[in-house]
Amino acid sequence: QQQVKQSPQSLIVQKGGISIINCAYENTAFDYFPWYQQFPGKGPALLIAIRPDVSEKKEGRFTISFNKSAKQFSLHIMDSQPGDSATYFCAASTRSGGSNYKLTFGKGTLLTVNP
Amino acid sequence: NAGVTQTPKFQVLKTGQSMTLQCAQDMNHNSMYWYRQDPGMGLRLIYYSASEGTTDKGEVPNGYNVSRLNKREFSLRLESAAPSQTSVYFCASSRLAGVSYNEQFFGPGTRLTVL
């Protein structure tokens, strides 16, 4: 059962364009929504994250939009650059038992930004 | 600080062989995690350790065992490797235990092939 659905699988954008990646979830117990960026041959690294009590968070060219009622959140990359070419994962955090928490990841989006 | 280190970087095993993947972090983090990454499947949690002395199963624990040797080290053992365990394995750590808003820091990964 996939708890976090991510789309599209791949995305090609021209330099300067806007990249948009979407995620949807069913579990209303999720309470933290990070996005991770992964370059080829490297481990993922946290890019930006949001809590469900806000509808938008912006850090530089990266923005998360969060729609709690629709159970959807998305990553927007403004003025996309070739250096943004990477795989992006959305994730959601929930309590896994006792006081432990764990992340559930989407399947990833391969972003290619053409020069 | 080296962050999260993993050894080996690459490994080829024959079906039925055993091996241990090593992970260490030097950030004094409490929680540590093992994930596997397969094409089109995202990151799936194998086991995690919320704090020293505790370990718990994740989404795909079958065929694996773990040991939280001390606060720094968390190893993953394959007792009898199978071709289905061919994957890239990532270790991660996070500073806090029992908190949802908790950035995970990933190692560079171990690429394992089981023939």
Side-chain angles (χ1 to χ4, degrees), chain A residues 86-105:
Chain A
T87 299
Y88 292 81
F89 294 96
C90 63
S93 176
T94 188
R95 191 184 295 268
S96 64
S99 61
N100 299 326
Y101 288 85
K102 63 178 181 179
L103 286 176
T104 299
F105 285 85

PDB file of all heavy atoms in Angstrom, chain A residues 86-105:
ATOM      1  N   ALA A  86      17.961  16.545 -10.858  1.00  0.00           N
ATOM      2  CA  ALA A  86      18.148  15.597  -9.769  1.00  0.00           C
ATOM      3  C   ALA A  86      16.852  14.801  -9.619  1.00  0.00           C
ATOM      4  O   ALA A  86      15.870  15.049 -10.322  1.00  0.00           O
ATOM      5  CB  ALA A  86      18.457  16.331  -8.454  1.00  0.00           C
ATOM      6  N   THR A  87      16.862  13.856  -8.692  1.00  0.00           N
ATOM      7  CA  THR A  87      15.631  13.159  -8.333  1.00  0.00           C
ATOM      8  C   THR A  87      15.083  13.771  -7.047  1.00  0.00           C
ATOM      9  O   THR A  87      15.838  14.000  -6.103  1.00  0.00           O
ATOM     10  CB  THR A  87      15.890  11.654  -8.136  1.00  0.00           C
ATOM     11  OG1 THR A  87      16.382  11.096  -9.362  1.00  0.00           O
ATOM     12  CG2 THR A  87      14.585  10.931  -7.759  1.00  0.00           C
ATOM     13  N   TYR A  88      13.800  14.044  -7.043  1.00  0.00           N
ATOM     14  CA  TYR A  88      13.145  14.670  -5.897  1.00  0.00           C
ATOM     15  C   TYR A  88      12.156  13.685  -5.272  1.00  0.00           C
ATOM     16  O   TYR A  88      11.359  13.058  -5.978  1.00  0.00           O
ATOM     17  CB  TYR A  88      12.429  15.948  -6.334  1.00  0.00           C
ATOM     18  CG  TYR A  88      13.399  17.021  -6.749  1.00  0.00           C
ATOM     19  CD1 TYR A  88      13.956  17.008  -8.030  1.00  0.00           C
ATOM     20  CD2 TYR A  88      13.796  18.020  -5.868  1.00  0.00           C
ATOM     21  CE1 TYR A  88      14.882  17.967  -8.412  1.00  0.00           C
ATOM     22  CE2 TYR A  88      14.713  18.982  -6.251  1.00  0.00           C
ATOM     23  CZ  TYR A  88      15.255  18.944  -7.525  1.00  0.00           C
ATOM     24  OH  TYR A  88      16.179  19.892  -7.903  1.00  0.00           O
ATOM     25  N   PHE A  89      12.217  13.576  -3.963  1.00  0.00           N
ATOM     26  CA  PHE A  89      11.324  12.704  -3.222  1.00  0.00           C
ATOM     27  C   PHE A  89      10.492  13.529  -2.248  1.00  0.00           C
ATOM     28  O   PHE A  89      11.048  14.314  -1.466  1.00  0.00           O
ATOM     29  CB  PHE A  89      12.109  11.664  -2.403  1.00  0.00           C
ATOM     30  CG  PHE A  89      12.869  10.667  -3.218  1.00  0.00           C
ATOM     31  CD1 PHE A  89      14.217  10.872  -3.495  1.00  0.00           C
ATOM     32  CD2 PHE A  89      12.258   9.532  -3.710  1.00  0.00           C
ATOM     33  CE1 PHE A  89      14.943   9.951  -4.244  1.00  0.00           C
ATOM     34  CE2 PHE A  89      12.965   8.601  -4.462  1.00  0.00           C
ATOM     35  CZ  PHE A  89      14.308   8.817  -4.727  1.00  0.00           C
ATOM     36  N   CYS A  90       9.187  13.344  -2.277  1.00  0.00           N
ATOM     37  CA  CYS A  90       8.383  13.867  -1.189  1.00  0.00           C
ATOM     38  C   CYS A  90       8.310  12.792  -0.113  1.00  0.00           C
ATOM     39  O   CYS A  90       8.563  11.609  -0.377  1.00  0.00           O
ATOM     40  CB  CYS A  90       6.990  14.263  -1.663  1.00  0.00           C
ATOM     41  SG  CYS A  90       5.986  12.905  -2.302  1.00  0.00           S
ATOM     42  N   ALA A  91       7.986  13.207   1.089  1.00  0.00           N
ATOM     43  CA  ALA A  91       7.899  12.256   2.198  1.00  0.00           C
ATOM     44  C   ALA A  91       6.890  12.782   3.211  1.00  0.00           C
ATOM     45  O   ALA A  91       6.511  13.962   3.182  1.00  0.00           O
ATOM     46  CB  ALA A  91       9.265  12.044   2.856  1.00  0.00           C
ATOM     47  N   ALA A  92       6.479  11.896   4.093  1.00  0.00           N
ATOM     48  CA  ALA A  92       5.555  12.275   5.151  1.00  0.00           C
ATOM     49  C   ALA A  92       5.932  11.500   6.402  1.00  0.00           C
ATOM     50  O   ALA A  92       6.343  10.341   6.328  1.00  0.00           O
ATOM     51  CB  ALA A  92       4.121  11.973   4.741  1.00  0.00           C
ATOM     52  N   SER A  93       5.784  12.156   7.545  1.00  0.00           N
ATOM     53  CA  SER A  93       6.202  11.560   8.812  1.00  0.00           C
ATOM     54  C   SER A  93       4.992  11.239   9.671  1.00  0.00           C
ATOM     55  O   SER A  93       4.036  12.015   9.747  1.00  0.00           O
ATOM     56  CB  SER A  93       7.113  12.528   9.568  1.00  0.00           C
ATOM     57  OG  SER A  93       7.459  12.012  10.840  1.00  0.00           O
ATOM     58  N   THR A  94       5.059  10.106  10.332  1.00  0.00           N
ATOM     59  CA  THR A  94       4.006   9.734  11.251  1.00  0.00           C
ATOM     60  C   THR A  94       4.581   8.898  12.378  1.00  0.00           C
ATOM     61  O   THR A  94       5.655   8.316  12.252  1.00  0.00           O
ATOM     62  CB  THR A  94       2.887   8.959  10.533  1.00  0.00           C
ATOM     63  OG1 THR A  94       1.791   8.774  11.429  1.00  0.00           O
ATOM     64  CG2 THR A  94       3.358   7.582  10.089  1.00  0.00           C
ATOM     65  N   ARG A  95       3.831   8.824  13.465  1.00  0.00           N
ATOM     66  CA  ARG A  95       4.252   8.020  14.609  1.00  0.00           C
ATOM     67  C   ARG A  95       4.194   6.550  14.204  1.00  0.00           C
ATOM     68  O   ARG A  95       3.231   6.093  13.575  1.00  0.00           O
ATOM     69  CB  ARG A  95       3.327   8.283  15.795  1.00  0.00           C
ATOM     70  CG  ARG A  95       3.799   7.713  17.109  1.00  0.00           C
ATOM     71  CD  ARG A  95       2.753   7.955  18.183  1.00  0.00           C
ATOM     72  NE  ARG A  95       2.549   9.357  18.471  1.00  0.00           N
ATOM     73  CZ  ARG A  95       3.190  10.019  19.411  1.00  0.00           C
ATOM     74  NH1 ARG A  95       4.073   9.397  20.160  1.00  0.00           N
ATOM     75  NH2 ARG A  95       2.950  11.296  19.610  1.00  0.00           N
ATOM     76  N   SER A  96       5.244   5.810  14.553  1.00  0.00           N
ATOM     77  CA  SER A  96       5.298   4.403  14.146  1.00  0.00           C
ATOM     78  C   SER A  96       5.112   3.449  15.311  1.00  0.00           C
ATOM     79  O   SER A  96       5.068   2.254  15.130  1.00  0.00           O
ATOM     80  CB  SER A  96       6.647   4.110  13.478  1.00  0.00           C
ATOM     81  OG  SER A  96       7.695   4.276  14.406  1.00  0.00           O
ATOM     82  N   GLY A  97       4.962   3.970  16.480  1.00  0.00           N
ATOM     83  CA  GLY A  97       4.809   3.098  17.640  1.00  0.00           C
ATOM     84  C   GLY A  97       5.497   3.728  18.822  1.00  0.00           C
ATOM     85  O   GLY A  97       6.619   4.198  18.699  1.00  0.00           O
ATOM     86  N   GLY A  98       4.849   3.776  19.957  1.00  0.00           N
ATOM     87  CA  GLY A  98       5.433   4.446  21.104  1.00  0.00           C
ATOM     88  C   GLY A  98       5.669   5.910  20.775  1.00  0.00           C
ATOM     89  O   GLY A  98       4.775   6.608  20.324  1.00  0.00           O
ATOM     90  N   SER A  99       6.897   6.348  20.959  1.00  0.00           N
ATOM     91  CA  SER A  99       7.206   7.742  20.638  1.00  0.00           C
ATOM     92  C   SER A  99       8.094   7.831  19.408  1.00  0.00           C
ATOM     93  O   SER A  99       8.762   8.832  19.186  1.00  0.00           O
ATOM     94  CB  SER A  99       7.904   8.403  21.828  1.00  0.00           C
ATOM     95  OG  SER A  99       9.118   7.718  22.105  1.00  0.00           O
ATOM     96  N   ASN A 100       8.120   6.770  18.614  1.00  0.00           N
ATOM     97  CA  ASN A 100       8.976   6.775  17.436  1.00  0.00           C
ATOM     98  C   ASN A 100       8.240   7.325  16.222  1.00  0.00           C
ATOM     99  O   ASN A 100       7.029   7.171  16.089  1.00  0.00           O
ATOM    100  CB  ASN A 100       9.447   5.349  17.128  1.00  0.00           C
ATOM    101  CG  ASN A 100      10.245   4.771  18.270  1.00  0.00           C
ATOM    102  OD1 ASN A 100      10.956   5.483  18.958  1.00  0.00           O
ATOM    103  ND2 ASN A 100      10.117   3.467  18.481  1.00  0.00           N
ATOM    104  N   TYR A 101       8.999   7.941  15.331  1.00  0.00           N
ATOM    105  CA  TYR A 101       8.447   8.456  14.087  1.00  0.00           C
ATOM    106  C   TYR A 101       9.250   7.895  12.920  1.00  0.00           C
ATOM    107  O   TYR A 101      10.427   7.614  13.043  1.00  0.00           O
ATOM    108  CB  TYR A 101       8.503   9.983  14.052  1.00  0.00           C
ATOM    109  CG  TYR A 101       7.520  10.630  14.983  1.00  0.00           C
ATOM    110  CD1 TYR A 101       7.834  10.828  16.317  1.00  0.00           C
ATOM    111  CD2 TYR A 101       6.270  11.030  14.532  1.00  0.00           C
ATOM    112  CE1 TYR A 101       6.937  11.420  17.180  1.00  0.00           C
ATOM    113  CE2 TYR A 101       5.368  11.625  15.387  1.00  0.00           C
ATOM    114  CZ  TYR A 101       5.697  11.810  16.711  1.00  0.00           C
ATOM    115  OH  TYR A 101       4.797  12.382  17.553  1.00  0.00           O
ATOM    116  N   LYS A 102       8.608   7.764  11.781  1.00  0.00           N
ATOM    117  CA  LYS A 102       9.318   7.328  10.592  1.00  0.00           C
ATOM    118  C   LYS A 102       8.770   8.065   9.380  1.00  0.00           C
ATOM    119  O   LYS A 102       7.647   8.553   9.384  1.00  0.00           O
ATOM    120  CB  LYS A 102       9.183   5.818  10.386  1.00  0.00           C
ATOM    121  CG  LYS A 102       7.782   5.332  10.138  1.00  0.00           C
ATOM    122  CD  LYS A 102       7.758   3.831   9.909  1.00  0.00           C
ATOM    123  CE  LYS A 102       6.340   3.357   9.624  1.00  0.00           C
ATOM    124  NZ  LYS A 102       6.286   1.889   9.380  1.00  0.00           N
ATOM    125  N   LEU A 103       9.624   8.131   8.346  1.00  0.00           N
ATOM    126  CA  LEU A 103       9.249   8.776   7.093  1.00  0.00           C
ATOM    127  C   LEU A 103       8.764   7.738   6.086  1.00  0.00           C
ATOM    128  O   LEU A 103       9.351   6.661   5.966  1.00  0.00           O
ATOM    129  CB  LEU A 103      10.441   9.514   6.486  1.00  0.00           C
ATOM    130  CG  LEU A 103      10.878  10.824   7.125  1.00  0.00           C
ATOM    131  CD1 LEU A 103      12.135  11.342   6.435  1.00  0.00           C
ATOM    132  CD2 LEU A 103       9.771  11.852   7.055  1.00  0.00           C
ATOM    133  N   THR A 104       7.715   8.097   5.360  1.00  0.00           N
ATOM    134  CA  THR A 104       7.264   7.328   4.203  1.00  0.00           C
ATOM    135  C   THR A 104       7.532   8.174   2.973  1.00  0.00           C
ATOM    136  O   THR A 104       7.101   9.331   2.903  1.00  0.00           O
ATOM    137  CB  THR A 104       5.770   7.010   4.296  1.00  0.00           C
ATOM    138  OG1 THR A 104       5.536   6.234   5.469  1.00  0.00           O
ATOM    139  CG2 THR A 104       5.316   6.218   3.077  1.00  0.00           C
ATOM    140  N   PHE A 105       8.271   7.606   2.017  1.00  0.00           N
ATOM    141  CA  PHE A 105       8.688   8.359   0.844  1.00  0.00           C
ATOM    142  C   PHE A 105       7.806   8.063  -0.356  1.00  0.00           C
ATOM    143  O   PHE A 105       7.296   6.946  -0.529  1.00  0.00           O
ATOM    144  CB  PHE A 105      10.132   8.008   0.474  1.00  0.00           C
ATOM    145  CG  PHE A 105      11.169   8.605   1.378  1.00  0.00           C
ATOM    146  CD1 PHE A 105      11.531   7.985   2.561  1.00  0.00           C
ATOM    147  CD2 PHE A 105      11.780   9.807   1.039  1.00  0.00           C
ATOM    148  CE1 PHE A 105      12.486   8.546   3.392  1.00  0.00           C
ATOM    149  CE2 PHE A 105      12.742  10.371   1.866  1.00  0.00           C
ATOM    150  CZ  PHE A 105      13.089   9.741   3.044  1.00  0.00           C
TER     151      PHE A 105
END
